[in-house]
Amino acid sequence: MRLVVAHSEPVAVVRLALPGLPLPGLPATPGTPGTPATGSPTPTPVPTPASPDGSAPVFTQPPAQLGSNSLSFSGLKGVNLVTVPLADGSRIPVLKISADSITIQGFSLNVRKQTGPVLLTTADTMTLSGNVQVYLDSATATLPDGTPLTLGASTPPPNSTLPGQLLRVTLRLVGATADSIVYTNTNQHLSE
């Protein structure tokens, strides 16, 4: 059995130039990173375009706000930039995290529509196990050493990987699938 949690909203794609790297189409200046001392520029890294995820379910808008005290990965397979289908027939770019399991401590999920009631779900722990696929618009967290981390469709992690644990995590969750999703000490509250 496969369980699906899905919510999403439009995403503005922003392309950022990295400090010290020339903008595409502009000549590099000698002495800047990526430019040899001779003054001839080295190729500027080209961002990998998002590829369609053929296994993704169809998602709806807007994304849910997921907060947690900590998030741990087991068997992290990668973090990739993909596009996923929306109910209106369009596609949006998202980060896809693939893992054997993800455990979220101090789980809080705020699901809302453009108008209408808000559903808040809290749990001591949420565990996603087996073929875990998490699709997110953006994330902020703190690494165990205190370093802040910000990720998004336009700012994926280097080397398509993440550390095994993130602290004080906030995700704009587009959706998630797994063979099993288990909550402990769950509470739900619907409000206008």
Side-chain angles (χ1 to χ4, degrees), residues 108-132:
S108 173
L109 185 68
N110 186 326
V111 179
R112 62 181 65 225
K113 295 181 181 181
Q114 298 293 342
T115 61
V118 174
L119 177 63
L120 177 63
T121 304
T122 59
D124 291 344
T125 305
M126 176 189 183
T127 304
L128 299 95
S129 303
N131 301 307
V132 177

Side-chain angles (χ1 to χ4, degrees), residues 20-90:
L21 292 178
L23 292 171
L26 296 178
T29 57
T32 60
T35 305
T38 62
S40 61
T42 57
T44 301
V46 177
T48 304
S51 59
D53 184 344
S55 65
V58 176
F59 296 109
T60 59
Q61 306 280 355
Q65 288 292 122
L66 187 152
S68 74
N69 296 331
S70 71
L71 188 146
S72 302
F73 303 96
S74 172
L76 183 64
K77 294 177 175 44
V79 182
N80 300 299
L81 182 60
V82 299
T83 63
V84 295
L86 297 177
D88 66 4
S90 65

Side-chain angles (χ1 to χ4, degrees), residues 66-73 102-108 123-128 140-144 163-171:
L66 187 152
S68 74
N69 296 331
S70 71
L71 188 146
S72 302
F73 303 96
I102 297 177
T103 301
I104 303 169
Q105 299 288 334
F107 172 83
S108 173
D124 291 344
T125 305
M126 176 189 183
T127 304
L128 299 95
T140 59
T142 304
L143 301 179
Q165 182 180 35
L166 302 174
L167 306 174
R168 295 181 293 284
V169 181
T170 302
L171 303 175

